[in-house]
Amino acid sequence: MKHICTALFCFFITIGALAQQFKLSGYITDDAGKPVPFASVYIRNTTKGTSANVDGYYSFTIPAGTSTIVYKAIGYKPVEKALNLSGNHTENTVLKEESYSLAGVTIRSDGRDPAYRIIRQAIRRRLEHKTEVKSYTADVYIKGAQKLVGAPKKFFGRDIQKTLDLDTNRKGIIYLSESTSKLAFERPNKIHEEMISSKVAGQNNAFSFNKASDLMVNFYENVVMENILSARGFVSPIAEDAMLYYRYKLLGTTTENGATVNKIQIIPRREHDPVFRGVVYIHDETYHLLSADVYLTKSTGINLLDTLNISQQFLQSGKTYMPSSINLQFSGDVLGFQFQGYYIGVYSNYDIDPELPKGYFNGELLRVTKSVNKKDSSFWNMARPIPLTAEERADYRRKDSIAAYRNSDRYLDSVERAGNKFNALKFVVAGHTISNRRKESTLRFDPLYKSIFYNTVEGVTLRHGVTYTKQLEDWRYLTLRPELRYGFSNETLTGSLTATYHYKPEKRASLSVSAGTGIYDLNNFGSMSLFGNSINSLFFETNFSKFYKKAFANVSTTRELFNGFQATLMADFSENYNLVNTTRFKIKDLKGETFTSNNPFTPDSETPLFPTYNAFNLSATLSYTIGQTYITRPEGKFYQPARYPVIDLHYRKAVKGILDSEVEYDLLALEVSQNRIRTGMFGYSSFVVGVGKFLNRNTIYYPEFKHFRGNNSLLGQPDLRKFLFLDFYLYSTDQQYAELHYEHNFSGMLSNKMPFLRKLKLEEFIGAGYLTQPVKRNYTEFYFGLQRLILRVAYGFAYDGNKKVDHGFRLSYGF
């Protein structure tokens, strides 16, 4: 018995030793002693590993006992070392540059480079390699660092060194963040990620915005990185039509783990095509991509950046190869701010074809819980696979100590007092905010410049509002907004109060109550901005916008019923009054121009458009986004751009008799829309289709009609649902209607080929609009134009049936 007990004791001791984890660390350098940044280090025949930092230093935990460690970096010969660990161990490694030989390579009689044969095989097997792994899970570590390497002394009067906490040369890290997560993937495009830990330098209560799916650059796709740095994206070196965009050159071959690896240079056929430069490494038998070291420049059409380097390494998992690390390094110069940085993702502990519970992929791309930013330094010392550099360690220490001071009551009180101090210029431009952090509330006064405007109904008008926000537990909050409006010509004062309670952020749920009086546009979509109407009225003697007054009270609620399905209910009572012009003042009197009446149907006389009437309306809207994806964070649920159509069903019923309501009708409307439908190198398309019908219209007045987004002016704001030449008011309807809007943006596909336009990075677009209803049958618009960021210019034509009724330019601005 004694011997048995002794044997069992020794057995458990051995098992315990094997279960222990020890830290393996060291420096990876080249022959000259220079660090090899971001080299991969992993245990052979596993997907457990890490990556060195920018200084070539690595550190990760491995089980006790003997393990074969592989050291690998693009352009270097891999090194394998058998290590027997019984404690923490330092292992420095020297990597020698890989020598790629062309010996034994057959050059064809036509002089065609052998690289083309290899690339053709890689293209032929692209779909096979893209789909050979149906699903997987992996541990992901992400680190992002951004630094300024040059900046102006001041920006809009603010000292940059103090504002961004830089050194005396206006250099330093401005953002440093790390995160770990568990990533799950299933074909064709299902993703679910659970963030485990999050750390942001100087922001102990913040949550990192790192997302593993943002780092997924898959060169087996035809086009990669669409709608990220370019609307079109960039052609993969092994895309189906890659031969039209690239030339290839075999730089040599080498042998790795018994397999021949081809090093192939990728060369753009045309300087300004959306393509990569650099080298790719391809297996000579299976034609898997083994690694890539490529880059983009400004000539490819990337926005905001000057260069982007992408270094991706793969490791073998069974019969396939999975990404082990990806490193994105970038640099740029915007408004004198010179910046550079990197994001690196390390993938480890792959489980190919895992057993995941039913319903695991439910549209949630990323879940961030409250506890992820509460991990202490001991956790990070064990979980961080890429050691921090000396600069990054110093940045954490300094910013965390500063954050501790800035979170002290004394500092926060002083900042609050300074921020609450009234500044006249700031009030005019940005408004004024009074904060009370102890009560977790803010009081924000609207900017003055937005509060003063002019129209011919009210004259010079002052409209000002204050928004009070009270933060509650669990990211709930309450807002109260009183607003007053006074017209100096019609001497009318109106005011309202709106209260909104956001009570369940994960369900996008809120309850709102509003009451008061106000002046509103006759078109409930609005005709043009108050500022735009003021300029047109004062300087061009053209009063586009028409108004009416109403006293109202309403209550509404909205809530997500299930993912992508939002329901909104509203009950609204209003007493509506016709208005007339009370002033004809203008700064400039233009010959041939004169103000029109406030009735768009009788521009030469002030005739009432409708009598004073009461209306009680009930409305319900159901909105469903097919395949809606979202991110869940402690502060709420955030929908991501939809890849599939959005369906909106709306029903509005006017009930006669309730609160002396005089209107009675039923409106049913359906709309289907989708933005940014990707078409690869051809850009993207967007569309809206809407139909509706008044099921009955026993009693209905103009403000209750179905209105459309028209445009009578040269300048406006972009909106896919807006017609370029349709009158703001004349073609609203109380019967049936159908409208269609379509636009395609070529994202520079054409202008990029014109040298004199290329540097402007313009995007060309074409579009069309269609409307039919009993008064305006088969109205059609066609247009084309150019845009850049927030500005666009279009030229179009409008037709009633086959008859051209309008044409001209339209300018728009805004996001």
Side-chain angles (χ1 to χ4, degrees):
M1 179 65 72
K2 181 178 180 181
H3 293 292
I4 295 176
C5 291
T6 302
L8 288 173
F9 176 76
C10 292
F11 173 77
F12 286 119
I13 289 294
T14 303
I15 293 298
L18 291 175
Q20 283 185 289
Q21 299 279 322
F22 296 113
K23 179 167 288 188
L24 175 66
S25 60
Y27 283 93
I28 304 174
T29 59
D30 61 15
D31 282 332
K34 295 181 179 179
V36 179
F38 307 114
S40 291
V41 185
Y42 60 92
I43 304 173
R44 192 177 68 178
N45 297 328
T46 75
T47 58
K48 178 177 176 56
T50 185
S51 176
N53 65 18
V54 70
D55 297 327
Y57 183 68
Y58 74 95
S59 175
F60 74 125
T61 57
I62 65 174
T66 301
S67 299
T68 300
I69 309 301
V70 181
Y71 298 84
K72 186 178 179 181
I74 295 177
Y76 294 87
K77 292 181 180 179
V79 171
E80 294 188 4
K81 293 184 177 182
L83 302 176
N84 189 350
L85 268 64
S86 58
N88 293 339
H89 181 74
T90 299
E91 184 69 27
N92 297 325
T93 300
V94 176
L95 297 184
K96 298 180 181 298
E97 287 192 17
E98 183 67 89
S99 56
Y100 289 86
S101 172
L102 287 173
V105 176
T106 302
I107 305 297
R108 290 171 44 178
S109 58
D110 60 2
R112 192 71 161 174
D113 195 286
Y116 286 87
R117 174 192 64 81
I118 300 165
I119 291 295
R120 283 197 182 93
Q121 290 295 330
I123 292 173
R124 187 171 292 118
R125 302 189 66 172
R126 180 186 66 85
L127 277 178
E128 174 190 336
H129 294 155
K130 174 184 172 182
T131 59
E132 62 188 349
V133 175
K134 305 303 179 185
S135 63
Y136 66 81
T137 61
D139 295 331
V140 184
Y141 166 83
I142 300 174
K143 179 166 68 171
Q146 300 173 33
K147 61 166 60 174
L148 282 180
V149 294
K153 290 184 178 180
K154 291 189 176 182
F155 192 74
F156 285 102
R158 302 187 68 178
D159 188 307
I160 294 300
Q161 180 187 349
K162 294 181 180 179
T163 301
L164 297 180
D165 193 22
L166 305 175
D167 63 20
T168 54
N169 295 316
R170 297 182 299 284
K171 297 180 180 180
I173 295 176
I174 56 175
Y175 177 78
L176 175 61
S177 173
E178 298 174 276
S179 67
T180 63
S181 61
K182 190 74 172 182
L183 174 68
F185 174 82
E186 184 177 278
R187 295 288 173 197
N189 52 18
K190 296 178 181 179
I191 292 173
H192 186 266
E193 182 180 358
E194 295 272 353
M195 186 173 286
I196 298 169
S197 59
S198 166
K199 185 174 177 63
V200 182
Q203 301 179 52
N204 295 330
N205 294 321
F207 299 94
S208 172
F209 284 92
N210 293 344
K211 185 152 60 78
S213 56
D214 288 342
L215 297 182
M216 294 173 70
V217 179
N218 187 353
F219 289 109
Y220 291 123
E221 299 283 355
N222 284 319
V223 179
V224 298
M225 302 173 67
E226 287 183 275
N227 294 323
I228 298 177
L229 296 175
S230 166
R232 283 196 292 166
F234 305 91
V235 180
S236 167
I238 55 173
E240 285 184 5
D241 56 353
M243 296 287 186
L244 300 176
Y245 293 89
Y246 291 99
R247 293 187 177 92
Y248 303 92
K249 182 179 181 181
L250 180 62
L251 299 180
T253 63
T254 190
T255 301
E256 184 178 314
N257 293 328
T260 300
V261 179
N262 300 286
K263 181 180 181 180
I264 298 174
Q265 183 180 6
I266 55 174
I267 307 164
R269 287 186 176 273
R270 291 165 292 275
E271 176 69 18
H272 298 280
D273 276 353
V275 295
F276 298 92
R277 293 161 169 81
V279 292
V280 294
Y281 300 79
I282 296 178
H283 196 290
D284 195 54
E285 294 180 4
T286 66
Y287 300 100
H288 280 98
L289 185 66
L290 299 182
S291 58
D293 191 8
V294 298
Y295 64 96
L296 299 168
T297 65
K298 285 199 294 187
S299 65
T300 63
I302 57 176
N303 294 318
L304 302 176
L305 302 180
D306 292 338
T307 61
L308 173 67
N309 290 74
I310 302 175
S311 178
Q312 189 174 36
Q313 297 190 56
F314 294 78
L315 57 83
Q316 190 167 4
S317 178
K319 295 182 179 181
T320 189
Y321 290 82
M322 302 296 293
S324 61
S325 68
I326 183 167
N327 182 17
L328 309 179
Q329 299 186 68
F330 53 88
S331 64
D333 187 341
V334 177
L335 299 176
F337 290 88
Q338 300 167 29
F339 61 90
Q340 62 185 36
Y342 69 87
Y343 276 88
I344 184 166
V346 177
Y347 300 78
S348 61
N349 298 326
Y350 277 101
D351 182 1
I352 305 299
D353 197 21
E355 293 186 9
L356 298 171
K358 186 177 180 180
Y360 188 76
F361 296 99
N362 57 4
E364 184 181 56
L365 297 180
L366 173 64
R367 172 170 288 273
V368 182
T369 60
K370 296 178 183 178
S371 61
V372 301
N373 61 358
K374 308 302 181 185
K375 312 296 185 184
D376 58 19
S377 58
S378 61
F379 169 87
W380 283 104
N381 289 336
M382 294 297 295
R384 180 184 288 125
I386 303 179
L388 298 174
T389 65
E391 182 183 26
E392 291 166 351
R393 287 195 301 271
D395 188 69
Y396 268 135
R397 285 195 301 268
R398 183 169 55 85
K399 288 183 177 175
D400 287 349
S401 63
I402 291 173
Y405 168 68
R406 289 179 174 174
N407 285 327
S408 67
D409 288 342
R410 180 179 178 183
Y411 177 83
L412 292 174
D413 288 341
S414 66
V415 170
E416 190 169 85
R417 285 194 300 270
N420 291 344
K421 188 176 181 180
F422 182 80
N423 180 289
L425 179 60
K426 182 180 178 182
F427 175 59
V428 171
V429 177
H432 178 60
T433 301
I434 300 175
S435 301
N436 188 326
R437 67 179 185 84
R438 297 182 188 278
K439 294 184 178 181
E440 296 188 279
S441 63
T442 58
L443 192 64
R444 188 180 186 280
F445 295 82
D446 292 348
L448 188 60
Y449 85 94
K450 287 186 175 181
S451 300
I452 302 175
F453 51 91
Y454 172 83
N455 61 67
T456 54
V457 171
E458 301 171 276
V460 175
T461 304
L462 177 64
R463 185 191 69 177
H464 197 262
V466 181
T467 303
Y468 171 80
T469 303
K470 170 66 175 177
Q471 296 292 334
L472 305 171
E473 292 182 352
D474 298 325
W475 303 94
R476 296 173 296 118
Y477 65 97
L478 173 69
T479 63
L480 297 174
R481 179 174 172 81
E483 184 177 289
L484 292 175
R485 176 168 175 160
Y486 182 74
F488 288 88
S489 177
N490 66 348
E491 298 181 341
T492 298
L493 175 67
T494 59
S496 63
L497 176 64
T498 301
T500 304
Y501 174 43
H502 299 265
Y503 62 91
K504 207 173 185 63
E506 70 275 14
K507 289 294 184 181
R508 301 165 63 90
S510 64
L511 175 66
S512 182
V513 178
S514 183
T517 59
I519 308 294
Y520 296 91
D521 198 304
L522 281 170
N523 185 327
N524 65 313
F525 292 120
S527 50
M528 61 192 313
S529 69
L530 294 171
F531 175 78
N533 185 66
S534 300
I535 296 298
N536 278 286
S537 298
L538 291 171
F539 294 95
F540 300 99
E541 205 171 347
T542 307
N543 53 333
F544 285 117
S545 299
K546 311 300 178 183
F547 302 94
Y548 76 110
K549 177 184 175 183
K550 69 176 181 179
F552 65 92
N554 60 57
V555 59
S556 64
T557 183
T558 183
R559 181 188 171 102
E560 184 188 68
L561 302 181
F562 55 85
N563 183 44
F565 194 86
Q566 194 86 10
T568 302
L569 300 174
M570 183 174 184
D572 175 79
F573 169 79
S574 64
E575 186 174 8
N576 305 275
Y577 305 88
N578 193 78
L579 296 177
V580 298
N581 289 335
T582 62
T583 178
R584 304 184 70 83
F585 173 79
K586 62 267 185 184
I587 293 176
K588 189 173 183 180
D589 189 4
L590 296 180
K591 185 177 181 180
E593 295 291 341
T594 183
F595 288 128
T596 58
S597 78
N598 194 51
N599 184 336
F601 295 91
T602 58
D604 298 326
S605 61
E606 292 285 2
T607 56
L609 180 58
F610 55 86
T612 299
Y613 72 93
N614 291 346
F616 182 78
N617 289 298
L618 298 173
S619 63
T621 301
L622 298 176
S623 178
Y624 179 59
T625 302
I626 300 173
Q628 179 68 69
T629 58
Y630 62 95
I631 294 173
T632 304
R633 296 172 65 86
E635 60 268 37
K637 185 175 185 178
F638 301 90
Y639 282 161
Q640 302 302 288
R643 297 184 59 184
Y644 302 100
V646 179
I647 303 171
D648 291 297
L649 180 64
H650 178 75
Y651 177 67
R652 175 159 43 109
K653 181 177 183 63
V655 184
K656 193 171 186 178
I658 297 180
L659 299 175
D660 296 326
S661 173
E662 301 166 57
V663 293
E664 186 177 24
Y665 64 86
D666 292 84
L667 169 64
L668 183 65
L670 175 69
E671 181 182 278
V672 181
S673 63
Q674 187 174 352
N675 288 324
R676 302 182 77 94
I677 305 169
R678 299 176 182 178
T679 58
M681 290 294 100
F682 294 96
Y684 60 89
S685 295
S686 303
F687 75 88
V688 178
V689 178
V691 295
K693 180 179 177 60
F694 282 83
L695 305 179
N696 77 75
R697 48 193 182 97
N698 296 335
T699 309
I700 186 170
Y701 299 107
Y702 184 82
E704 316 294 322
F705 281 25
K706 164 61 183 177
H707 303 288
F708 303 98
R709 295 170 174 86
N711 186 33
N712 291 351
S713 63
L714 172 67
L715 186 65
Q717 291 184 306
D719 186 343
L720 179 62
R721 291 169 173 80
K722 178 181 286 187
F723 292 95
L724 296 188
F725 302 100
L726 187 73
D727 190 274
F728 287 128
Y729 304 102
L730 297 184
Y731 303 108
S732 300
T733 184
D734 61 351
Q735 299 184 60
Q736 69 273 11
Y737 70 90
E739 65 174 317
L740 167 67
H741 304 270
Y742 173 81
E743 183 171 293
H744 184 80
N745 187 312
F746 291 95
S747 305
M749 186 185 75
L750 304 177
S751 60
N752 189 56
K753 294 177 171 57
M754 304 177 187
F756 60 96
L757 291 178
R758 186 180 295 134
K759 290 185 177 181
L760 299 177
K761 295 185 178 180
L762 298 174
E763 298 177 9
E764 57 281 342
F765 59 86
I766 59 173
Y770 173 81
L771 173 66
T772 187
Q773 50 106 323
V775 178
K776 192 76 165 174
R777 294 183 181 275
N778 298 323
Y779 171 80
T780 311
E781 296 180 349
F782 302 97
Y783 61 90
F784 60 91
L786 295 168
Q787 71 177 38
R788 172 64 174 151
L789 298 178
I790 65 172
L791 302 174
R792 62 188 266 158
V793 56
Y795 189 85
F797 307 85
Y799 295 85
D800 274 343
N802 295 323
K803 180 182 177 182
K804 185 167 75 173
V805 292
D806 209 342
H807 67 95
F809 284 98
R810 289 293 185 261
L811 308 177
S812 57
Y813 64 94
F815 293 99

